């Protein structure tokens, strides 16, 4: 979409939920949440190549993803580990590299 709201383009075609989109700092990628795998997982869309790939695969919901200011990390909210917490993973992917950065009852 242009800054004036024109030239809107649909970027996903899934029947389930696709939302919570957040642009990378360079504007070339979008991280978003999709339920196409049966629950909410994170997906990364490369706007130049059109490659759309799944970043997380956990039975608990992963959502509310944002890029770090340098674009190297993605922070997200997840129930993995037993309760809701903030997790981070490299923006290039690697669910196995996800690590929890908050703890406690609320987070």
């Amino acid at each position: 979409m242009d800054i004036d709201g024109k030239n809107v383009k649909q970027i996903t075609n899934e029947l389930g939920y696709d939302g919570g989109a957040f642009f990378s700092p360079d504007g070339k990628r979008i991280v978003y949440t999709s339920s196409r795998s049966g629950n909410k997982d994170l997906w990364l869309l490369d706007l130049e190549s059109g490659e759309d790939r799944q970043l997380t695969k956990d039975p608990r919901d992963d959502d509310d993803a944002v890029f770090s200011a340098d674009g190297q990390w993605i922070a997200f909210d997840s129930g993995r580990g037993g309760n809701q917490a903030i997790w981070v993973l490299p923006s290039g992917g690697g669910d196995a590299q996800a690590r929890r950065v908050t703890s406690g009852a609320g987070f």
Side-chain angles (χ1 to χ4, degrees):
M1 169 173 47
D2 296 334
I3 197 161
D4 61 3
K6 296 180 181 176
N7 297 314
V8 175
K9 179 182 174 187
Q10 182 173 340
I11 58 172
T12 65
N13 294 309
E14 297 302 319
L15 296 176
Y17 171 82
D18 283 345
F22 193 88
F23 281 88
S24 63
D26 63 8
K28 295 180 179 181
R29 299 173 294 167
I30 297 175
V31 63
Y32 66 98
T33 302
S34 179
S35 65
R36 71 184 84 168
S37 62
N39 66 305
K40 291 182 178 178
D41 287 308
L42 302 185
W43 288 72
L44 185 69
L45 175 63
D46 184 303
L47 295 171
E48 292 178 343
S49 70
E51 178 188 6
D52 193 18
R53 63 189 173 95
Q54 190 170 0
L55 294 178
T56 63
K57 295 178 184 177
D58 194 88
R60 306 260 183 149
D61 287 344
D62 297 331
D63 56 11
D64 301 324
V66 296
F67 280 93
S68 62
D70 64 3
Q72 299 299 308
W73 295 91
I74 295 172
F76 61 99
D77 176 39
S78 179
R80 57 175 74 198
N83 63 351
Q84 291 302 114
I86 303 297
W87 292 70
V88 295
L89 62 87
S91 63
D95 194 26
Q97 297 177 35
R99 62 184 168 97
R100 186 177 179 161
V101 295
T102 64
S103 62
F107 271 134

